[in-house]
DNA sequence: TAGTGGTCTAGACCACCGG
DNA sequence: CGGTGGTCTAGACCACTAT
């Protein structure tokens, strides 16, 4: 007799995952009830629950009360992205971080910015343009709008020393964050800042954050040529 | 006396989250032990555990045995992306989906492709080039390499009818997926397929999948001008 | 080695929703 | 209405690691 060690929820998850990978269940199929899986694998139902929760989170199965658990008909590729503070990103890639404040002034935002922030009443925002450097080479150009109602303390910060990116992340935790990725052709001014030629294809990250419903900031970060964004494993 | 209903783990999560948002705990601070939070909120420790797990998953806190739970020093913006089958993506945006097979042939992959698939021994792969359409307009150009050892059945599929994208997703579940995003300048041929001009900035999605350690496919999907990728949620 | 998070269990009740 | 997943509890033991 071999003494089997207790099953962990990861074991259960992998068992079910393997059953799906092997074709034992195909998209649309209904899986056994949690309780049945539990008794057939000889573990507690809550262990199965934990395993199925994980499979559900990763987009492989769909669960509904009474409806049971089904292999997703339309599987999605679900990925997690981690976007660190720019300083850390540069340092993690082995570069020496540098930072230049380009411009900082209160001004009336264009409608596009108001819309991104989901603001209804127009009001002046703080606009900050800055350049992040890696080993003294341009790394990322950011054009940021900050809501002074939500983050008035930013006016007391010397943004030529500490980047708005860093100050905000450390001092203004958000409860919601929208991200948007796309490509643009560099215009003259942008190309100049990033040390490339007008027309170069650049990767852009737009990020807008709120605390509850109050807008904090929206930023358009234009990366240097060749920049790539990877999933975090 | 009001009778308080039982606390859910989401209540606990929000309570702790709010304490951090309000500045009661700042980055680096140590939070109370789960057991203490449990008794102070009058719920079970496993309820607190569930809540803290969620906060940890979302990148707000860091947990270590014996070390306790700390507010993350270097908060990351953590986002989840859902990338559906291209046909679904087009349809969800309200377009009529179309598909054209451009070329399909077995050939020796360049080193770059081998490296992406983490293959050591060179061997012929199936290369498939295809164009996805939305309302008869070019939507996405894909250049795909498929590993015939892992997915030999693909040779029996008529890829002029069903896209490799769709067949693979439905029939070859993967256990690992790498994604990579960047921008390129359209070359003549690409511009022609996508109905734009050479030099246009295009957003590119590269995806490579494995089942366990066996490579399945790697694909470079070049999107039409103006394409944007958004976070789910 | 001792403190802390991670997990498992068995049981109970609830919430949702399909038939 | 009844079946299914979702959650809470109380307790136990384990695994990791800071001290």
């Amino acid at each position: 007799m071999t003494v089997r060690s207790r099953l962990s929820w990861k074991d259960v998850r992998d068992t079910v995952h393997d059953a799906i990978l092997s074709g034992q269940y195909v998209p649309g199929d209904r899986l056994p009830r949690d309780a049945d899986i539990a008794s057939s694998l000889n573990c507690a139902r809550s262990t199965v629950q934990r395993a199925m929760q994980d499979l559900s989170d990763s987009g492989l199965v769909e669960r509904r009360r009474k409806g049971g658990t089904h292999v997703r008909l339309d599987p999605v590729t679900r990925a997690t992205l981690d976007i660190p503070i720019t300083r850390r990103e540069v340092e993690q890639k082995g570069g020496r971080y540098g930072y230049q404040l380009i411009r900082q002034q209160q001004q009336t935002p264009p409608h596009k910015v108001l819309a991104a922030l989901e603001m209804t009443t127009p009001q002046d925002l703080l606009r900050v343009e800055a350049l992040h450097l890696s080993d003294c080479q341009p790394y990322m150009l950011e054009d940021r709008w900050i809501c002074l109602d939500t983050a008035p303390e930013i006016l007391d910060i010397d943004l030529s020393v500490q980047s708005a990116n860093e100050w905000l992340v450390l001092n203004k935790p958000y409860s919601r964050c929208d991200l948007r990725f796309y490509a643009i052709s560099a215009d003259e001014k942008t190309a100049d800042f990033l040390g490339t030629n007008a027309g170069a294809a650049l990767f852009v990250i737009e990020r807008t954050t709120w605390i509850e419903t109050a807008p904090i900031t929206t930023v358009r970060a234009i990366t240097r040529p060749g920049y790539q964004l990877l999933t975090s494993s």
Side-chain angles (χ1 to χ4, degrees), chain A residues 6-73:
Chain A
R6 227 197 262 147
L7 278 184
S8 78
W9 67 266
K10 288 182 182 178
D11 294 331
V12 176
R13 177 196 62 188
D14 292 344
T15 300
V16 175
H17 193 131
D18 289 349
I20 295 173
L21 291 196
S22 74
Q24 184 175 339
Y25 300 98
V26 301
D29 278 5
R30 180 175 186 167
L31 298 176
R33 303 156 44 218
D34 288 4
D36 289 346
I37 294 178
S39 62
S40 78
L41 294 183
N42 196 35
C43 67
R45 181 166 80 90
S46 42
T47 303
V48 175
Q49 156 74 21
R50 183 81 161 85
M52 301 305 276
Q53 188 61 51
D54 196 64
L55 291 174
S56 176
D57 284 345
S58 67
L60 191 63
V61 304
E62 225 167 5
R63 285 159 73 73
R64 261 169 317 174
R65 289 163 150 126
K66 169 74 182 181
T69 304
H70 290 78
V71 181
R72 277 187 72 126
L73 263 177

Side-chain angles (χ1 to χ4, degrees), chain A residues 138-177:
Chain A
Y139 184 80
M140 181 182 283
L141 178 65
E142 74 168 57
D143 184 0
R144 180 185 295 273
W145 297 80
I146 303 166
C147 187
L148 292 170
D149 281 355
T150 316
E153 310 92 327
I154 191 81
L155 291 173
D156 301 328
I157 307 299
D158 182 354
L159 293 178
S160 63
V161 174
Q162 186 180 30
S163 76
N165 174 278
E166 188 145 358
W167 187 86
L168 283 166
V169 167
L170 288 179
N171 295 280
K172 285 286 160 185
Y174 55 85
S175 55
R176 180 158 78 94
C177 175

